[in-house]
Amino acid sequence: MKYTYTIMLLLFMLQLRAQDNDLMALLNDNTEDPVIYAEATFKGSRLINGHTVQTRKAKAFEFLISHRFGRLNSGAYELFGIDGANIRLGFEYGLSDRITIGLGRNSFEKTFDTFFKLKLLRQSKGRKVMPISLAYLTSAALKSLKGQEGFNTTASKLVYTHQLLIARKFSSLFSMQLMPTLVHRNQILEDQENSDVYALGVGGRLKMSQRISLNAEYYYRFDVPEADTNYNSIAVGVDIETGGHVFQLHLTNSRSMIEKGFITETSGDFFNGDVHFGFNVSRVF
Amino acid sequence: MKNLITAFFLLLLVGEANAQTKFFTKTGYAKFYSEAPLEDIEAINNKVQSIIDIEKSEVAINVPITAFQFENSLMQEHFNENYLESEKWPMAAFSGYFVSDGVIDINRNGVYEVRVKGKMTIHGVTKPMDTVGSIKVDNNKVVAKTSFMVKVADYDIEIPTIVFKNIAEEVEVTVELKYLPFKS
């Protein structure tokens, strides 16, 4: 009988002891797992030349200044390309967390561009599992350079791009993106044959530290006509993030900073040294 | 006599399990405030989950990190991505007990000063924690409040020198939990 009391007392003490953890266990049993969305699959709204799946948050305003200098192999006379800079000024605004709109002006061929980006799926784990993030991008570009022979109406100077951005953040260090793309030119030159160009882009980023990442991007064009002397766009770069700024420094064979330009009009051969140094500076307000 | 003692122990084991002394919330409020030379940063969370056991003086709190809302969305991204690493550690947690200045009677309205002690886990790091707060009983509802300082470096959260003037080394955390009776 004595033992019974001892056992009961022990049981009582055990019960007291166990309560500390019990309450946390009870709390965990009574609350749902959170849905954890993959934040910042990429640091910026651009991977290098092209868009990433990232949209701006609602009411966020982004100012983007991009430069592409001339070709590195143009020699010392051109200061390895520094003399011939192209600039794009971009203004982007988050209508909602999922919709970003933007306007840009490029010094190259005095082109105006505008885009609309819609986030369709957000990668998540936890209570809701979604393996990828998906966004749809559509953009239009208007070349306003004077004296374009054969392009007499405004409509004839318009080029549209439709793109799906399919991204996955595999880990906090590594993200990848696929970009099936259609570029439609309202009016084309004879040697361009097709007004539609289909391309598939692939890109990725590898984080070197919390604030620095390595990026790469490549666009492959399908069914390129023989007369087309352009090359596929290749770019490699580094992202450096400092608080509200993202600095992107890169090397690319593309001169243009908008979809229709770098996908269908890249005239440089990357492996022949036709490489442009460039940067994007983004400030979010 | 023997039977009486047995009965007493049995009561100890069984009796308290039935009493309604637990209170629960999953819409608790938490705020953190960082005051630094260049800017003041504030974030608010309305999804704090907690259970408090008034009779046993115990409390457990879970704070989902991604639920902190910043005015500047980019700051929110950096908070999750660079500092708290919420993908790896989605929850901050506290588990411990409190000592009040009087016996808390849940059937009578009143406010009690309490001392709170326990373990707090943030960014995967667990540290002992000791602070003061208050517990208010109001018509069978319980409101717990506390506010304390958290030293960022204690929880292995690194602030790079480039933003040193933007983020305080110690941030103020304010918590207000409005509990309703817990129904299991």
PDB file of all heavy atoms in Angstrom, chain B residues 143-173:
ATOM      1  N   VAL B 143      -6.996  39.054 -21.017  1.00  0.00           N
ATOM      2  CA  VAL B 143      -6.115  39.843 -21.876  1.00  0.00           C
ATOM      3  C   VAL B 143      -4.735  39.897 -21.230  1.00  0.00           C
ATOM      4  O   VAL B 143      -4.597  40.340 -20.094  1.00  0.00           O
ATOM      5  CB  VAL B 143      -6.654  41.277 -22.081  1.00  0.00           C
ATOM      6  CG1 VAL B 143      -5.734  42.053 -23.009  1.00  0.00           C
ATOM      7  CG2 VAL B 143      -8.071  41.262 -22.641  1.00  0.00           C
ATOM      8  N   ALA B 144      -3.726  39.431 -21.953  1.00  0.00           N
ATOM      9  CA  ALA B 144      -2.356  39.456 -21.436  1.00  0.00           C
ATOM     10  C   ALA B 144      -1.549  40.461 -22.243  1.00  0.00           C
ATOM     11  O   ALA B 144      -1.676  40.537 -23.469  1.00  0.00           O
ATOM     12  CB  ALA B 144      -1.735  38.077 -21.545  1.00  0.00           C
ATOM     13  N   LYS B 145      -0.746  41.264 -21.528  1.00  0.00           N
ATOM     14  CA  LYS B 145       0.067  42.272 -22.203  1.00  0.00           C
ATOM     15  C   LYS B 145       1.486  42.215 -21.675  1.00  0.00           C
ATOM     16  O   LYS B 145       1.702  42.011 -20.479  1.00  0.00           O
ATOM     17  CB  LYS B 145      -0.472  43.677 -21.896  1.00  0.00           C
ATOM     18  CG  LYS B 145      -1.698  44.073 -22.666  1.00  0.00           C
ATOM     19  CD  LYS B 145      -2.008  45.529 -22.352  1.00  0.00           C
ATOM     20  CE  LYS B 145      -3.423  45.884 -22.783  1.00  0.00           C
ATOM     21  NZ  LYS B 145      -3.781  47.242 -22.421  1.00  0.00           N
ATOM     22  N   THR B 146       2.426  42.430 -22.577  1.00  0.00           N
ATOM     23  CA  THR B 146       3.812  42.573 -22.134  1.00  0.00           C
ATOM     24  C   THR B 146       4.603  43.331 -23.193  1.00  0.00           C
ATOM     25  O   THR B 146       4.151  43.485 -24.328  1.00  0.00           O
ATOM     26  CB  THR B 146       4.472  41.208 -21.846  1.00  0.00           C
ATOM     27  OG1 THR B 146       5.806  41.435 -21.390  1.00  0.00           O
ATOM     28  CG2 THR B 146       4.526  40.351 -23.092  1.00  0.00           C
ATOM     29  N   SER B 147       5.736  43.805 -22.781  1.00  0.00           N
ATOM     30  CA  SER B 147       6.619  44.506 -23.700  1.00  0.00           C
ATOM     31  C   SER B 147       8.041  44.327 -23.199  1.00  0.00           C
ATOM     32  O   SER B 147       8.289  44.361 -21.990  1.00  0.00           O
ATOM     33  CB  SER B 147       6.184  45.974 -23.738  1.00  0.00           C
ATOM     34  OG  SER B 147       7.275  46.787 -23.955  1.00  0.00           O
ATOM     35  N   PHE B 148       8.956  44.056 -24.104  1.00  0.00           N
ATOM     36  CA  PHE B 148      10.340  43.778 -23.689  1.00  0.00           C
ATOM     37  C   PHE B 148      11.291  44.090 -24.829  1.00  0.00           C
ATOM     38  O   PHE B 148      10.878  44.306 -25.974  1.00  0.00           O
ATOM     39  CB  PHE B 148      10.483  42.307 -23.257  1.00  0.00           C
ATOM     40  CG  PHE B 148       9.923  41.330 -24.257  1.00  0.00           C
ATOM     41  CD1 PHE B 148      10.713  40.846 -25.281  1.00  0.00           C
ATOM     42  CD2 PHE B 148       8.585  40.934 -24.181  1.00  0.00           C
ATOM     43  CE1 PHE B 148      10.196  39.961 -26.217  1.00  0.00           C
ATOM     44  CE2 PHE B 148       8.060  40.046 -25.125  1.00  0.00           C
ATOM     45  CZ  PHE B 148       8.871  39.559 -26.142  1.00  0.00           C
ATOM     46  N   MET B 149      12.583  44.125 -24.514  1.00  0.00           N
ATOM     47  CA  MET B 149      13.597  44.403 -25.530  1.00  0.00           C
ATOM     48  C   MET B 149      14.233  43.079 -25.969  1.00  0.00           C
ATOM     49  O   MET B 149      14.458  42.194 -25.153  1.00  0.00           O
ATOM     50  CB  MET B 149      14.696  45.325 -24.975  1.00  0.00           C
ATOM     51  CG  MET B 149      14.196  46.670 -24.488  1.00  0.00           C
ATOM     52  SD  MET B 149      13.375  47.662 -25.758  1.00  0.00           S
ATOM     53  CE  MET B 149      14.768  48.149 -26.764  1.00  0.00           C
ATOM     54  N   VAL B 150      14.513  42.979 -27.258  1.00  0.00           N
ATOM     55  CA  VAL B 150      15.211  41.803 -27.785  1.00  0.00           C
ATOM     56  C   VAL B 150      16.506  42.277 -28.429  1.00  0.00           C
ATOM     57  O   VAL B 150      16.500  43.154 -29.292  1.00  0.00           O
ATOM     58  CB  VAL B 150      14.365  41.054 -28.843  1.00  0.00           C
ATOM     59  CG1 VAL B 150      15.177  39.958 -29.499  1.00  0.00           C
ATOM     60  CG2 VAL B 150      13.108  40.486 -28.209  1.00  0.00           C
ATOM     61  N   LYS B 151      17.609  41.693 -27.965  1.00  0.00           N
ATOM     62  CA  LYS B 151      18.892  42.014 -28.569  1.00  0.00           C
ATOM     63  C   LYS B 151      19.060  41.131 -29.801  1.00  0.00           C
ATOM     64  O   LYS B 151      19.104  39.911 -29.698  1.00  0.00           O
ATOM     65  CB  LYS B 151      20.011  41.746 -27.553  1.00  0.00           C
ATOM     66  CG  LYS B 151      21.101  42.766 -27.613  1.00  0.00           C
ATOM     67  CD  LYS B 151      22.042  42.576 -26.447  1.00  0.00           C
ATOM     68  CE  LYS B 151      23.381  43.182 -26.779  1.00  0.00           C
ATOM     69  NZ  LYS B 151      24.389  42.822 -25.778  1.00  0.00           N
ATOM     70  N   VAL B 152      19.143  41.765 -30.958  1.00  0.00           N
ATOM     71  CA  VAL B 152      19.139  41.046 -32.229  1.00  0.00           C
ATOM     72  C   VAL B 152      20.286  40.025 -32.307  1.00  0.00           C
ATOM     73  O   VAL B 152      20.121  38.891 -32.743  1.00  0.00           O
ATOM     74  CB  VAL B 152      19.203  42.055 -33.394  1.00  0.00           C
ATOM     75  CG1 VAL B 152      19.277  41.342 -34.724  1.00  0.00           C
ATOM     76  CG2 VAL B 152      17.974  42.964 -33.363  1.00  0.00           C
ATOM     77  N   ALA B 153      21.454  40.439 -31.806  1.00  0.00           N
ATOM     78  CA  ALA B 153      22.643  39.581 -31.911  1.00  0.00           C
ATOM     79  C   ALA B 153      22.498  38.308 -31.070  1.00  0.00           C
ATOM     80  O   ALA B 153      23.106  37.282 -31.383  1.00  0.00           O
ATOM     81  CB  ALA B 153      23.884  40.350 -31.491  1.00  0.00           C
ATOM     82  N   ASP B 154      21.682  38.352 -29.997  1.00  0.00           N
ATOM     83  CA  ASP B 154      21.468  37.176 -29.148  1.00  0.00           C
ATOM     84  C   ASP B 154      20.893  36.007 -29.928  1.00  0.00           C
ATOM     85  O   ASP B 154      21.045  34.853 -29.539  1.00  0.00           O
ATOM     86  CB  ASP B 154      20.487  37.510 -28.019  1.00  0.00           C
ATOM     87  CG  ASP B 154      21.175  38.239 -26.876  1.00  0.00           C
ATOM     88  OD1 ASP B 154      22.405  38.388 -26.937  1.00  0.00           O
ATOM     89  OD2 ASP B 154      20.469  38.655 -25.938  1.00  0.00           O
ATOM     90  N   TYR B 155      20.176  36.315 -30.989  1.00  0.00           N
ATOM     91  CA  TYR B 155      19.505  35.257 -31.753  1.00  0.00           C
ATOM     92  C   TYR B 155      20.183  35.021 -33.104  1.00  0.00           C
ATOM     93  O   TYR B 155      19.541  34.609 -34.064  1.00  0.00           O
ATOM     94  CB  TYR B 155      18.021  35.606 -31.913  1.00  0.00           C
ATOM     95  CG  TYR B 155      17.312  35.596 -30.576  1.00  0.00           C
ATOM     96  CD1 TYR B 155      17.205  36.761 -29.829  1.00  0.00           C
ATOM     97  CD2 TYR B 155      16.824  34.414 -30.037  1.00  0.00           C
ATOM     98  CE1 TYR B 155      16.607  36.747 -28.571  1.00  0.00           C
ATOM     99  CE2 TYR B 155      16.220  34.390 -28.796  1.00  0.00           C
ATOM    100  CZ  TYR B 155      16.120  35.555 -28.058  1.00  0.00           C
ATOM    101  OH  TYR B 155      15.538  35.538 -26.824  1.00  0.00           O
ATOM    102  N   ASP B 156      21.477  35.293 -33.159  1.00  0.00           N
ATOM    103  CA  ASP B 156      22.285  35.043 -34.372  1.00  0.00           C
ATOM    104  C   ASP B 156      21.719  35.731 -35.612  1.00  0.00           C
ATOM    105  O   ASP B 156      21.756  35.178 -36.709  1.00  0.00           O
ATOM    106  CB  ASP B 156      22.399  33.528 -34.655  1.00  0.00           C
ATOM    107  CG  ASP B 156      23.275  32.834 -33.635  1.00  0.00           C
ATOM    108  OD1 ASP B 156      23.887  33.559 -32.820  1.00  0.00           O
ATOM    109  OD2 ASP B 156      23.335  31.594 -33.641  1.00  0.00           O
ATOM    110  N   ILE B 157      21.142  36.923 -35.412  1.00  0.00           N
ATOM    111  CA  ILE B 157      20.660  37.674 -36.562  1.00  0.00           C
ATOM    112  C   ILE B 157      21.705  38.739 -36.863  1.00  0.00           C
ATOM    113  O   ILE B 157      21.981  39.600 -36.036  1.00  0.00           O
ATOM    114  CB  ILE B 157      19.287  38.318 -36.270  1.00  0.00           C
ATOM    115  CG1 ILE B 157      18.259  37.223 -35.991  1.00  0.00           C
ATOM    116  CG2 ILE B 157      18.851  39.191 -37.448  1.00  0.00           C
ATOM    117  CD1 ILE B 157      17.001  37.715 -35.341  1.00  0.00           C
ATOM    118  N   GLU B 158      22.300  38.602 -38.051  1.00  0.00           N
ATOM    119  CA  GLU B 158      23.399  39.494 -38.399  1.00  0.00           C
ATOM    120  C   GLU B 158      22.901  40.741 -39.117  1.00  0.00           C
ATOM    121  O   GLU B 158      22.132  40.656 -40.060  1.00  0.00           O
ATOM    122  CB  GLU B 158      24.374  38.768 -39.320  1.00  0.00           C
ATOM    123  CG  GLU B 158      25.367  37.912 -38.560  1.00  0.00           C
ATOM    124  CD  GLU B 158      26.231  37.119 -39.514  1.00  0.00           C
ATOM    125  OE1 GLU B 158      26.792  37.719 -40.455  1.00  0.00           O
ATOM    126  OE2 GLU B 158      26.322  35.891 -39.318  1.00  0.00           O
ATOM    127  N   ILE B 159      23.365  41.881 -38.661  1.00  0.00           N
ATOM    128  CA  ILE B 159      23.065  43.130 -39.363  1.00  0.00           C
ATOM    129  C   ILE B 159      24.359  43.615 -39.998  1.00  0.00           C
ATOM    130  O   ILE B 159      25.319  43.919 -39.306  1.00  0.00           O
ATOM    131  CB  ILE B 159      22.517  44.188 -38.386  1.00  0.00           C
ATOM    132  CG1 ILE B 159      21.235  43.672 -37.733  1.00  0.00           C
ATOM    133  CG2 ILE B 159      22.245  45.488 -39.126  1.00  0.00           C
ATOM    134  CD1 ILE B 159      20.723  44.541 -36.638  1.00  0.00           C
ATOM    135  N   PRO B 160      24.399  43.633 -41.342  1.00  0.00           N
ATOM    136  CA  PRO B 160      25.639  44.057 -41.994  1.00  0.00           C
ATOM    137  C   PRO B 160      25.917  45.537 -41.731  1.00  0.00           C
ATOM    138  O   PRO B 160      24.993  46.330 -41.522  1.00  0.00           O
ATOM    139  CB  PRO B 160      25.371  43.808 -43.479  1.00  0.00           C
ATOM    140  CG  PRO B 160      23.906  43.650 -43.603  1.00  0.00           C
ATOM    141  CD  PRO B 160      23.340  43.287 -42.291  1.00  0.00           C
ATOM    142  N   THR B 161      27.199  45.871 -41.739  1.00  0.00           N
ATOM    143  CA  THR B 161      27.592  47.240 -41.385  1.00  0.00           C
ATOM    144  C   THR B 161      26.971  48.285 -42.294  1.00  0.00           C
ATOM    145  O   THR B 161      26.732  49.410 -41.868  1.00  0.00           O
ATOM    146  CB  THR B 161      29.127  47.389 -41.449  1.00  0.00           C
ATOM    147  OG1 THR B 161      29.576  46.718 -42.623  1.00  0.00           O
ATOM    148  CG2 THR B 161      29.785  46.793 -40.234  1.00  0.00           C
ATOM    149  N   ILE B 162      26.629  47.886 -43.522  1.00  0.00           N
ATOM    150  CA  ILE B 162      26.099  48.873 -44.472  1.00  0.00           C
ATOM    151  C   ILE B 162      24.727  49.402 -44.041  1.00  0.00           C
ATOM    152  O   ILE B 162      24.363  50.529 -44.352  1.00  0.00           O
ATOM    153  CB  ILE B 162      26.077  48.294 -45.911  1.00  0.00           C
ATOM    154  CG1 ILE B 162      25.955  49.416 -46.932  1.00  0.00           C
ATOM    155  CG2 ILE B 162      24.995  47.266 -46.099  1.00  0.00           C
ATOM    156  CD1 ILE B 162      26.454  49.074 -48.295  1.00  0.00           C
ATOM    157  N   VAL B 163      23.970  48.605 -43.303  1.00  0.00           N
ATOM    158  CA  VAL B 163      22.666  49.085 -42.827  1.00  0.00           C
ATOM    159  C   VAL B 163      22.640  49.281 -41.299  1.00  0.00           C
ATOM    160  O   VAL B 163      21.598  49.328 -40.682  1.00  0.00           O
ATOM    161  CB  VAL B 163      21.515  48.128 -43.253  1.00  0.00           C
ATOM    162  CG1 VAL B 163      21.299  48.187 -44.745  1.00  0.00           C
ATOM    163  CG2 VAL B 163      21.768  46.710 -42.811  1.00  0.00           C
ATOM    164  N   PHE B 164      23.828  49.406 -40.728  1.00  0.00           N
ATOM    165  CA  PHE B 164      23.948  49.559 -39.276  1.00  0.00           C
ATOM    166  C   PHE B 164      23.168  50.753 -38.746  1.00  0.00           C
ATOM    167  O   PHE B 164      22.616  50.721 -37.661  1.00  0.00           O
ATOM    168  CB  PHE B 164      25.426  49.704 -38.898  1.00  0.00           C
ATOM    169  CG  PHE B 164      25.788  48.930 -37.679  1.00  0.00           C
ATOM    170  CD1 PHE B 164      25.772  47.536 -37.706  1.00  0.00           C
ATOM    171  CD2 PHE B 164      26.134  49.555 -36.497  1.00  0.00           C
ATOM    172  CE1 PHE B 164      26.093  46.804 -36.583  1.00  0.00           C
ATOM    173  CE2 PHE B 164      26.461  48.820 -35.363  1.00  0.00           C
ATOM    174  CZ  PHE B 164      26.439  47.438 -35.414  1.00  0.00           C
ATOM    175  N   LYS B 165      23.145  51.815 -39.536  1.00  0.00           N
ATOM    176  CA  LYS B 165      22.457  53.022 -39.090  1.00  0.00           C
ATOM    177  C   LYS B 165      20.956  52.951 -39.364  1.00  0.00           C
ATOM    178  O   LYS B 165      20.208  53.857 -39.028  1.00  0.00           O
ATOM    179  CB  LYS B 165      23.051  54.259 -39.777  1.00  0.00           C
ATOM    180  CG  LYS B 165      24.426  54.631 -39.230  1.00  0.00           C
ATOM    181  CD  LYS B 165      24.793  56.043 -39.661  1.00  0.00           C
ATOM    182  CE  LYS B 165      25.869  56.655 -38.798  1.00  0.00           C
ATOM    183  NZ  LYS B 165      27.181  56.007 -38.926  1.00  0.00           N
ATOM    184  N   ASN B 166      20.508  51.872 -40.000  1.00  0.00           N
ATOM    185  CA  ASN B 166      19.085  51.733 -40.322  1.00  0.00           C
ATOM    186  C   ASN B 166      18.342  50.799 -39.373  1.00  0.00           C
ATOM    187  O   ASN B 166      17.142  50.867 -39.246  1.00  0.00           O
ATOM    188  CB  ASN B 166      18.909  51.179 -41.745  1.00  0.00           C
ATOM    189  CG  ASN B 166      19.517  52.079 -42.796  1.00  0.00           C
ATOM    190  OD1 ASN B 166      20.741  52.206 -42.862  1.00  0.00           O
ATOM    191  ND2 ASN B 166      18.684  52.712 -43.572  1.00  0.00           N
ATOM    192  N   ILE B 167      19.088  49.909 -38.735  1.00  0.00           N
ATOM    193  CA  ILE B 167      18.442  48.898 -37.894  1.00  0.00           C
ATOM    194  C   ILE B 167      19.059  48.928 -36.493  1.00  0.00           C
ATOM    195  O   ILE B 167      20.271  48.925 -36.342  1.00  0.00           O
ATOM    196  CB  ILE B 167      18.589  47.488 -38.516  1.00  0.00           C
ATOM    197  CG1 ILE B 167      17.967  47.465 -39.923  1.00  0.00           C
ATOM    198  CG2 ILE B 167      17.937  46.432 -37.638  1.00  0.00           C
ATOM    199  CD1 ILE B 167      18.229  46.207 -40.704  1.00  0.00           C
ATOM    200  N   ALA B 168      18.191  48.976 -35.470  1.00  0.00           N
ATOM    201  CA  ALA B 168      18.665  49.041 -34.092  1.00  0.00           C
ATOM    202  C   ALA B 168      19.240  47.699 -33.652  1.00  0.00           C
ATOM    203  O   ALA B 168      18.833  46.648 -34.148  1.00  0.00           O
ATOM    204  CB  ALA B 168      17.520  49.443 -33.175  1.00  0.00           C
ATOM    205  N   GLU B 169      20.193  47.757 -32.692  1.00  0.00           N
ATOM    206  CA  GLU B 169      20.760  46.513 -32.171  1.00  0.00           C
ATOM    207  C   GLU B 169      19.783  45.827 -31.226  1.00  0.00           C
ATOM    208  O   GLU B 169      19.826  44.623 -31.038  1.00  0.00           O
ATOM    209  CB  GLU B 169      22.062  46.809 -31.426  1.00  0.00           C
ATOM    210  CG  GLU B 169      23.223  47.088 -32.347  1.00  0.00           C
ATOM    211  CD  GLU B 169      24.441  47.529 -31.562  1.00  0.00           C
ATOM    212  OE1 GLU B 169      25.003  46.684 -30.859  1.00  0.00           O
ATOM    213  OE2 GLU B 169      24.803  48.716 -31.647  1.00  0.00           O
ATOM    214  N   GLU B 170      18.927  46.646 -30.619  1.00  0.00           N
ATOM    215  CA  GLU B 170      17.913  46.109 -29.730  1.00  0.00           C
ATOM    216  C   GLU B 170      16.553  46.599 -30.203  1.00  0.00           C
ATOM    217  O   GLU B 170      16.373  47.793 -30.431  1.00  0.00           O
ATOM    218  CB  GLU B 170      18.148  46.620 -28.303  1.00  0.00           C
ATOM    219  CG  GLU B 170      18.755  45.578 -27.388  1.00  0.00           C
ATOM    220  CD  GLU B 170      18.782  46.063 -25.943  1.00  0.00           C
ATOM    221  OE1 GLU B 170      19.293  47.164 -25.693  1.00  0.00           O
ATOM    222  OE2 GLU B 170      18.272  45.336 -25.091  1.00  0.00           O
ATOM    223  N   VAL B 171      15.605  45.698 -30.374  1.00  0.00           N
ATOM    224  CA  VAL B 171      14.277  46.122 -30.823  1.00  0.00           C
ATOM    225  C   VAL B 171      13.255  45.895 -29.710  1.00  0.00           C
ATOM    226  O   VAL B 171      13.395  44.996 -28.887  1.00  0.00           O
ATOM    227  CB  VAL B 171      13.826  45.391 -32.111  1.00  0.00           C
ATOM    228  CG1 VAL B 171      14.772  45.685 -33.262  1.00  0.00           C
ATOM    229  CG2 VAL B 171      13.720  43.902 -31.884  1.00  0.00           C
ATOM    230  N   GLU B 172      12.253  46.753 -29.709  1.00  0.00           N
ATOM    231  CA  GLU B 172      11.212  46.653 -28.689  1.00  0.00           C
ATOM    232  C   GLU B 172      10.068  45.789 -29.216  1.00  0.00           C
ATOM    233  O   GLU B 172       9.571  46.019 -30.309  1.00  0.00           O
ATOM    234  CB  GLU B 172      10.696  48.051 -28.351  1.00  0.00           C
ATOM    235  CG  GLU B 172       9.711  48.045 -27.218  1.00  0.00           C
ATOM    236  CD  GLU B 172       9.011  49.387 -27.045  1.00  0.00           C
ATOM    237  OE1 GLU B 172       8.850  50.115 -28.042  1.00  0.00           O
ATOM    238  OE2 GLU B 172       8.637  49.705 -25.918  1.00  0.00           O
ATOM    239  N   VAL B 173       9.665  44.807 -28.436  1.00  0.00           N
ATOM    240  CA  VAL B 173       8.556  43.943 -28.835  1.00  0.00           C
ATOM    241  C   VAL B 173       7.390  44.162 -27.877  1.00  0.00           C
ATOM    242  O   VAL B 173       7.569  44.136 -26.656  1.00  0.00           O
ATOM    243  CB  VAL B 173       8.975  42.456 -28.826  1.00  0.00           C
ATOM    244  CG1 VAL B 173       7.803  41.560 -29.193  1.00  0.00           C
ATOM    245  CG2 VAL B 173      10.138  42.223 -29.775  1.00  0.00           C
TER     246      VAL B 173
END
